[in-house]
Amino acid sequence: MAAPPGWPYSPDGRFWWDGAAWQPVPTPPGTPAQQGLTAAPPPRPATGHPSAASPGPQTPGPQTPGAQAAQPYAVQQTPPYAPPGTGVPPPAPSDAGPRPRRAGTAVFVLVTVGTLIAALALGGVAGGAVGLATTEPVTDAPAPSFPGRFPTGRQRYLPKVTITMVAVNWLQAANSWSCARSAASDPLTGAKMGMICRPGDAARLHMSVYIWYDGPDKVLSVKARCDLGARSKACTSLFSMMADTLLSPDRTLRGQAEAWAGKNADKAAVTAIGGVRLETSPRPHSMEAVPAI
Amino acid sequence: MAIAAVVFLLAGVGAYAVASNVRKQDTKYCGHDCVPGLEIGTVVEALQGQGHTCADKRRFWSCELRIGKVRFEADLFRAVNVADFYEYISKVEARIINPDSTTAAAGLDYMSWFATLPHRDDPPTVKKVGGWLAEQIAGDGDIAFILDWEYALERNANTRSIELTMKRRH
């Protein structure tokens, strides 16, 4: 049976599809059966109407038995071609189409990712190199901050103690002592000036108060000495009054300091009250006040 | 291409910021003989700002402060053996004369400030040095090696003083 125009042919050109089965293409007289193979084979239809998928003159193929015969003609779907007698199923038509598209997408993704990684690496290297080349290392950093108890120059002086408070108001005015200044500095405290005060009576040979200072309100040290013997009331009174005077700016602490000095006048003791360090000594019998650290 | 250019620029800017920051935090290396990135003059000015009196003794700067009978003294030795780093500190001798129980806290803060100069940007080491110092000031003194620096704390009964020596370990 001759194939009507528009129906699909098998790849070898020997069969055509009639909508239900492969039909052999009759060989024209004088033409070998394999002649159709020399022509371009018809494209294998994937889906849809066979006439649209493989137009033009084609050669028929054999009829496929079984399920293809049950397929309704209206569907017009060409089954996979298999030469009669081979029994080898053809590859699924759906596998043939997407393969080139997937490969193209993968290449695109690879190129894009590679480009981004290269840009990232190049940018990082270039930026880092510029940063290192254009920025100077620190050659002289600021000095570290000082801890809270780091000794400072402000601690050199007895807090709120003045020359007037000690020499004038306490010793000269209240007790009729006399004071003499000395331009010599004190090697121990480093004070620039000194002042020595003594009683106006016979006790002047046994009692004295040394004041070391840098200025009228910069008193570094006050030291009272009393050589009237241990447990002398005069010595105890001297030390107590000295403690009371030095802490006089603080009404609460002055009593505490006076009491401590009276209690420890004949001992070797040390305490710190209100920023003033008081230290008593029996030999030589004395009490000294310096700033507490 | 536009995205690649943006990524390039962002990576460049980010790397520049990181590298620049690292560089600024880096202190100029001065061999094995000095406190890096801190000149003697800077330390001297800082001490003078705290009321300490300083004098240039050529080989070293000497700073001191007296509070009552207690003297705080520090000698900052120049790095005379290293070219270009003459004004950097190679060794510190810090001593406290006539310390007593009431000066312990101030003495520790005084010595730890000098002892942590080489490690000022390294808080864990600062803590380690401070702990060692506190232990030695309360005790009899010892020698320790902390990150290429040698520390020796010595208590001298004759001069009634404690002295810390800090120098590079060779």
Side-chain angles (χ1 to χ4, degrees):
Chain A
M1 186 172 65
W7 291 93
Y9 284 79
S10 65
D12 57 9
R14 292 190 299 156
F15 302 92
W16 67 277
W17 180 255
D18 66 355
W22 291 100
Q23 301 297 334
V25 176
T27 307
T31 306
Q34 286 76 13
Q35 190 176 359
L37 294 175
T38 57
R44 181 180 294 168
T47 55
H49 197 285
S51 61
S54 49
Q58 295 174 350
T59 51
Q63 182 178 0
T64 304
Q68 299 298 333
Q71 193 170 356
Y73 182 79
V75 173
Q76 294 292 338
Q77 192 163 17
T78 306
Y81 170 75
T86 59
V88 179
S94 59
D95 291 340
R99 191 169 291 162
R101 189 183 296 169
R102 281 188 187 171
T105 305
V107 169
F108 175 75
V109 169
L110 279 175
V111 170
T112 304
V113 171
T115 305
L116 292 179
I117 290 175
L120 191 68
L122 284 175
V125 170
V130 172
L132 289 175
T134 59
T135 309
E136 280 293 313
V138 176
T139 56
D140 188 23
S145 59
F146 291 95
R149 298 291 297 269
F150 192 90
T152 69
R154 292 190 303 273
Q155 295 173 282
R156 276 173 55 79
Y157 307 110
L158 289 165
K160 300 179 182 176
V161 175
T162 64
I163 287 292
T164 303
M165 182 194 299
V166 179
V168 179
N169 298 343
W170 171 43
L171 295 174
Q172 293 175 339
N175 294 287
S176 301
W177 286 38
S178 58
C179 299
R181 295 185 180 183
S182 166
S185 60
D186 179 23
L188 196 58
T189 62
K192 296 173 183 173
M193 294 174 282
M195 182 179 287
I196 181 170
C197 301
R198 295 182 184 278
D201 54 18
R204 63 187 306 271
L205 298 176
H206 307 287
M207 300 172 80
S208 60
V209 172
Y210 283 86
I211 307 167
W212 295 105
Y213 61 101
D214 285 345
D217 57 349
K218 294 182 177 178
V219 179
L220 289 90
S221 166
V222 177
K223 184 174 184 177
R225 182 163 177 174
C226 187
D227 297 323
L228 293 172
R231 298 180 183 177
S232 161
K233 287 185 179 179
C235 293
T236 301
S237 175
L238 175 67
F239 296 165
S240 297
M241 288 305 297
M242 174 179 147
D244 175 83
T245 301
L246 296 178
L247 273 301
S248 60
D250 190 315
R251 294 184 177 180
T252 307
L253 296 179
R254 67 185 300 180
Q256 181 185 341
E258 181 184 5
W260 183 90
K263 184 180 177 182
N264 295 281
D266 299 321
K267 303 175 185 174
V270 61
T271 189
I273 301 173
V276 178
R277 181 182 188 275
L278 297 171
E279 182 175 10
T280 54
S281 170
R283 289 185 182 181
H285 198 197
S286 61
M287 187 176 82
E288 184 172 21
V290 295
I293 300 173
Chain B
M1 282 305 292
I3 295 175
V6 170
V7 169
F8 177 84
L9 285 176
L10 287 178
V13 170
Y16 174 84
V18 171
S20 178
N21 194 36
V22 167
R23 193 73 160 164
K24 284 177 183 172
Q25 290 182 1
D26 188 20
T27 48
K28 195 170 183 180
Y29 183 69
C30 53
H32 296 280
D33 289 288
C34 77
V35 175
L38 192 59
E39 292 187 1
I40 285 184
T42 303
V43 176
V44 167
E45 284 180 13
L47 289 169
Q48 288 173 329
Q50 296 294 308
H52 293 232
T53 303
C54 300
D56 189 351
K57 304 288 179 71
R58 297 194 68 180
R59 280 186 60 238
F60 59 90
W61 270 89
S62 183
C63 297
E64 72 157 31
L65 176 71
R66 301 185 196 190
I67 301 177
K69 295 179 181 176
V70 185
R71 267 166 63 183
F72 298 90
E73 291 181 353
D75 294 335
L76 309 168
F77 287 78
R78 289 186 164 96
V80 292
N81 297 325
V82 188
D84 299 331
F85 294 102
Y86 183 71
E87 291 299 336
Y88 286 80
I89 301 169
S90 64
K91 184 173 77 168
V92 173
E93 289 179 357
R95 68 189 70 86
I96 305 172
I97 301 168
N98 290 323
D100 60 31
S101 59
T102 66
T103 64
L108 176 60
D109 278 4
Y110 178 73
M111 288 195 164
S112 66
W113 188 77
F114 292 102
T116 56
L117 285 178
H119 317 292
R120 57 194 184 279
D121 297 323
D122 184 2
T125 305
V126 167
K127 192 175 180 182
K128 185 177 180 180
V129 172
W132 179 82
L133 261 179
E135 199 174 307
Q136 302 313 316
I137 287 177
D140 295 329
D142 199 356
I143 296 176
F145 299 97
I146 300 173
L147 287 184
D148 293 334
W149 286 86
E150 177 183 322
Y151 294 91
L153 191 97
E154 188 178 7
R155 185 177 295 278
N156 192 325
N158 294 331
T159 56
R160 287 184 45 80
S161 66
I162 53 175
E163 179 169 321
L164 169 73
T165 302
M166 179 189 84
K167 60 184 179 182
R168 271 308 276 248
R169 178 187 184 187
H170 293 289

